[in-house]
PDB file of all heavy atoms in Angstrom:
ATOM      1  N   ASP A 239      10.740  -1.619   1.041  1.00 89.00           N
ATOM      2  CA  ASP A 239      10.387  -0.595   0.035  1.00 89.00           C
ATOM      3  C   ASP A 239      10.649   0.808   0.570  1.00 89.00           C
ATOM      4  O   ASP A 239       9.829   1.716   0.392  1.00 89.00           O
ATOM      5  CB  ASP A 239       8.929  -0.752  -0.407  1.00 89.00           C
ATOM      6  CG  ASP A 239       8.608   0.054  -1.643  1.00 89.00           C
ATOM      7  OD1 ASP A 239       9.531   0.327  -2.416  1.00 89.00           O
ATOM      8  OD2 ASP A 239       7.423   0.419  -1.836  1.00 89.00           O
ATOM      9  N   ILE A 240      11.794   0.982   1.224  1.00 93.00           N
ATOM     10  CA  ILE A 240      12.175   2.287   1.756  1.00 93.00           C
ATOM     11  C   ILE A 240      13.354   2.817   0.936  1.00 93.00           C
ATOM     12  O   ILE A 240      14.336   2.098   0.731  1.00 93.00           O
ATOM     13  CB  ILE A 240      12.582   2.178   3.243  1.00 93.00           C
ATOM     14  CG1 ILE A 240      11.383   1.715   4.085  1.00 93.00           C
ATOM     15  CG2 ILE A 240      13.105   3.511   3.760  1.00 93.00           C
ATOM     16  CD1 ILE A 240      11.729   1.410   5.524  1.00 93.00           C
ATOM     17  N   PRO A 241      13.283   4.040   0.442  1.00 93.00           N
ATOM     18  CA  PRO A 241      14.372   4.587  -0.363  1.00 93.00           C
ATOM     19  C   PRO A 241      15.636   4.809   0.459  1.00 93.00           C
ATOM     20  O   PRO A 241      15.567   5.137   1.650  1.00 93.00           O
ATOM     21  CB  PRO A 241      13.823   5.914  -0.888  1.00 93.00           C
ATOM     22  CG  PRO A 241      12.766   6.299   0.098  1.00 93.00           C
ATOM     23  CD  PRO A 241      12.161   5.010   0.581  1.00 93.00           C
ATOM     24  N   VAL A 242      16.788   4.622  -0.184  1.00 94.00           N
ATOM     25  CA  VAL A 242      18.077   4.745   0.485  1.00 94.00           C
ATOM     26  C   VAL A 242      18.967   5.714  -0.285  1.00 94.00           C
ATOM     27  O   VAL A 242      19.059   5.636  -1.521  1.00 94.00           O
ATOM     28  CB  VAL A 242      18.778   3.383   0.605  1.00 94.00           C
ATOM     29  CG1 VAL A 242      20.165   3.541   1.233  1.00 94.00           C
ATOM     30  CG2 VAL A 242      17.930   2.415   1.418  1.00 94.00           C
ATOM     31  N   VAL A 243      19.607   6.614   0.431  1.00 94.00           N
ATOM     32  CA  VAL A 243      20.633   7.499  -0.122  1.00 94.00           C
ATOM     33  C   VAL A 243      21.949   7.135   0.536  1.00 94.00           C
ATOM     34  O   VAL A 243      22.047   7.081   1.764  1.00 94.00           O
ATOM     35  CB  VAL A 243      20.308   8.987   0.135  1.00 94.00           C
ATOM     36  CG1 VAL A 243      21.504   9.864  -0.248  1.00 94.00           C
ATOM     37  CG2 VAL A 243      19.065   9.408  -0.649  1.00 94.00           C
ATOM     38  N   PHE A 244      22.959   6.843  -0.286  1.00 92.00           N
ATOM     39  CA  PHE A 244      24.246   6.388   0.255  1.00 92.00           C
ATOM     40  C   PHE A 244      25.184   7.561   0.542  1.00 92.00           C
ATOM     41  O   PHE A 244      25.198   8.561  -0.172  1.00 92.00           O
ATOM     42  CB  PHE A 244      24.923   5.425  -0.722  1.00 92.00           C
ATOM     43  CG  PHE A 244      24.305   4.054  -0.725  1.00 92.00           C
ATOM     44  CD1 PHE A 244      23.746   3.538  -1.887  1.00 92.00           C
ATOM     45  CD2 PHE A 244      24.274   3.271   0.404  1.00 92.00           C
ATOM     46  CE1 PHE A 244      23.170   2.291  -1.910  1.00 92.00           C
ATOM     47  CE2 PHE A 244      23.698   2.021   0.405  1.00 92.00           C
ATOM     48  CZ  PHE A 244      23.147   1.521  -0.759  1.00 92.00           C
ATOM     49  N   LEU A 245      25.984   7.378   1.605  1.00 90.00           N
ATOM     50  CA  LEU A 245      27.034   8.312   1.984  1.00 90.00           C
ATOM     51  C   LEU A 245      28.375   7.629   1.854  1.00 90.00           C
ATOM     52  O   LEU A 245      28.517   6.463   2.241  1.00 90.00           O
ATOM     53  CB  LEU A 245      26.855   8.766   3.448  1.00 90.00           C
ATOM     54  CG  LEU A 245      25.523   9.404   3.845  1.00 90.00           C
ATOM     55  CD1 LEU A 245      25.424   9.482   5.359  1.00 90.00           C
ATOM     56  CD2 LEU A 245      25.416  10.783   3.233  1.00 90.00           C
ATOM     57  N   THR A 246      29.358   8.313   1.322  1.00 84.00           N
ATOM     58  CA  THR A 246      30.690   7.708   1.224  1.00 84.00           C
ATOM     59  C   THR A 246      31.763   8.774   1.093  1.00 84.00           C
ATOM     60  O   THR A 246      31.512   9.875   0.584  1.00 84.00           O
ATOM     61  CB  THR A 246      30.782   6.774   0.008  1.00 84.00           C
ATOM     62  OG1 THR A 246      32.083   6.178  -0.037  1.00 84.00           O
ATOM     63  CG2 THR A 246      30.534   7.515  -1.289  1.00 84.00           C
ATOM     64  N   ALA A 247      32.928   8.445   1.614  1.00 80.00           N
ATOM     65  CA  ALA A 247      34.080   9.322   1.464  1.00 80.00           C
ATOM     66  C   ALA A 247      34.846   9.003   0.193  1.00 80.00           C
ATOM     67  O   ALA A 247      35.799   9.673  -0.166  1.00 80.00           O
ATOM     68  CB  ALA A 247      35.000   9.194   2.682  1.00 80.00           C
ATOM     69  N   PHE A 248      34.428   7.946  -0.525  1.00 73.00           N
ATOM     70  CA  PHE A 248      35.116   7.494  -1.732  1.00 73.00           C
ATOM     71  C   PHE A 248      34.247   7.748  -2.963  1.00 73.00           C
ATOM     72  O   PHE A 248      33.032   7.563  -2.926  1.00 73.00           O
ATOM     73  CB  PHE A 248      35.450   6.010  -1.632  1.00 73.00           C
ATOM     74  CG  PHE A 248      36.229   5.656  -0.396  1.00 73.00           C
ATOM     75  CD1 PHE A 248      35.579   5.182   0.735  1.00 73.00           C
ATOM     76  CD2 PHE A 248      37.598   5.812  -0.355  1.00 73.00           C
ATOM     77  CE1 PHE A 248      36.286   4.863   1.885  1.00 73.00           C
ATOM     78  CE2 PHE A 248      38.319   5.495   0.786  1.00 73.00           C
ATOM     79  CZ  PHE A 248      37.674   5.022   1.908  1.00 73.00           C
ATOM     80  N   SER A 249      34.854   8.164  -4.038  1.00 70.00           N
ATOM     81  CA  SER A 249      34.117   8.409  -5.268  1.00 70.00           C
ATOM     82  C   SER A 249      34.796   7.767  -6.469  1.00 70.00           C
ATOM     83  O   SER A 249      34.637   8.208  -7.599  1.00 70.00           O
ATOM     84  CB  SER A 249      33.952   9.922  -5.519  1.00 70.00           C
ATOM     85  OG  SER A 249      35.224  10.547  -5.547  1.00 70.00           O
ATOM     86  N   ASP A 250      35.581   6.705  -6.212  1.00 69.00           N
ATOM     87  CA  ASP A 250      36.253   6.010  -7.305  1.00 69.00           C
ATOM     88  C   ASP A 250      35.243   5.195  -8.100  1.00 69.00           C
ATOM     89  O   ASP A 250      34.129   4.916  -7.642  1.00 69.00           O
ATOM     90  CB  ASP A 250      37.353   5.098  -6.747  1.00 69.00           C
ATOM     91  CG  ASP A 250      36.817   4.086  -5.739  1.00 69.00           C
ATOM     92  OD1 ASP A 250      36.592   4.481  -4.579  1.00 69.00           O
ATOM     93  OD2 ASP A 250      36.572   2.928  -6.137  1.00 69.00           O
ATOM     94  N   ARG A 251      35.637   4.794  -9.309  1.00 75.00           N
ATOM     95  CA  ARG A 251      34.741   4.095 -10.213  1.00 75.00           C
ATOM     96  C   ARG A 251      34.235   2.779  -9.626  1.00 75.00           C
ATOM     97  O   ARG A 251      33.071   2.432  -9.773  1.00 75.00           O
ATOM     98  CB  ARG A 251      35.455   3.828 -11.533  1.00 75.00           C
ATOM     99  CG  ARG A 251      34.683   2.987 -12.557  1.00 75.00           C
ATOM    100  CD  ARG A 251      33.288   3.529 -12.811  1.00 75.00           C
ATOM    101  NE  ARG A 251      33.260   4.919 -13.188  1.00 75.00           N
ATOM    102  CZ  ARG A 251      32.157   5.633 -13.371  1.00 75.00           C
ATOM    103  NH1 ARG A 251      30.974   5.071 -13.151  1.00 75.00           N
ATOM    104  NH2 ARG A 251      32.208   6.892 -13.732  1.00 75.00           N
ATOM    105  N   SER A 252      35.087   2.056  -8.916  1.00 73.00           N
ATOM    106  CA  SER A 252      34.680   0.777  -8.335  1.00 73.00           C
ATOM    107  C   SER A 252      33.558   0.968  -7.311  1.00 73.00           C
ATOM    108  O   SER A 252      32.568   0.224  -7.299  1.00 73.00           O
ATOM    109  CB  SER A 252      35.872   0.105  -7.663  1.00 73.00           C
ATOM    110  OG  SER A 252      35.486  -1.072  -6.990  1.00 73.00           O
ATOM    111  N   THR A 253      33.690   1.989  -6.460  1.00 72.00           N
ATOM    112  CA  THR A 253      32.666   2.266  -5.452  1.00 72.00           C
ATOM    113  C   THR A 253      31.358   2.678  -6.117  1.00 72.00           C
ATOM    114  O   THR A 253      30.272   2.233  -5.731  1.00 72.00           O
ATOM    115  CB  THR A 253      33.132   3.381  -4.498  1.00 72.00           C
ATOM    116  OG1 THR A 253      34.358   2.972  -3.858  1.00 72.00           O
ATOM    117  CG2 THR A 253      32.075   3.669  -3.447  1.00 72.00           C
ATOM    118  N   ILE A 254      31.458   3.527  -7.136  1.00 76.00           N
ATOM    119  CA  ILE A 254      30.264   3.988  -7.847  1.00 76.00           C
ATOM    120  C   ILE A 254      29.517   2.805  -8.455  1.00 76.00           C
ATOM    121  O   ILE A 254      28.286   2.721  -8.378  1.00 76.00           O
ATOM    122  CB  ILE A 254      30.641   4.990  -8.951  1.00 76.00           C
ATOM    123  CG1 ILE A 254      31.242   6.259  -8.343  1.00 76.00           C
ATOM    124  CG2 ILE A 254      29.406   5.337  -9.786  1.00 76.00           C
ATOM    125  CD1 ILE A 254      30.293   7.052  -7.489  1.00 76.00           C
ATOM    126  N   GLU A 255      30.238   1.863  -9.057  1.00 77.00           N
ATOM    127  CA  GLU A 255      29.595   0.707  -9.672  1.00 77.00           C
ATOM    128  C   GLU A 255      28.888  -0.156  -8.628  1.00 77.00           C
ATOM    129  O   GLU A 255      27.808  -0.687  -8.872  1.00 77.00           O
ATOM    130  CB  GLU A 255      30.629  -0.127 -10.439  1.00 77.00           C
ATOM    131  CG  GLU A 255      31.162   0.552 -11.692  1.00 77.00           C
ATOM    132  CD  GLU A 255      30.056   0.881 -12.677  1.00 77.00           C
ATOM    133  OE1 GLU A 255      29.131   0.056 -12.848  1.00 77.00           O
ATOM    134  OE2 GLU A 255      30.110   1.974 -13.275  1.00 77.00           O
ATOM    135  N   GLN A 256      29.521  -0.317  -7.454  1.00 75.00           N
ATOM    136  CA  GLN A 256      28.877  -1.085  -6.381  1.00 75.00           C
ATOM    137  C   GLN A 256      27.585  -0.400  -5.938  1.00 75.00           C
ATOM    138  O   GLN A 256      26.567  -1.062  -5.725  1.00 75.00           O
ATOM    139  CB  GLN A 256      29.825  -1.216  -5.189  1.00 75.00           C
ATOM    140  CG  GLN A 256      31.028  -2.097  -5.428  1.00 75.00           C
ATOM    141  CD  GLN A 256      31.892  -2.203  -4.173  1.00 75.00           C
ATOM    142  OE1 GLN A 256      31.439  -2.626  -3.124  1.00 75.00           O
ATOM    143  NE2 GLN A 256      33.140  -1.796  -4.289  1.00 75.00           N
TER     144      GLN A 256
END
Side-chain angles (χ1 to χ4, degrees):
D239 193 26
I240 297 173
V242 177
V243 171
F244 285 120
L245 304 167
T246 182
F248 305 96
S249 57
D250 57 281
R251 175 52 54 185
S252 175
T253 301
I254 296 295
E255 290 301 320
Q256 291 182 58

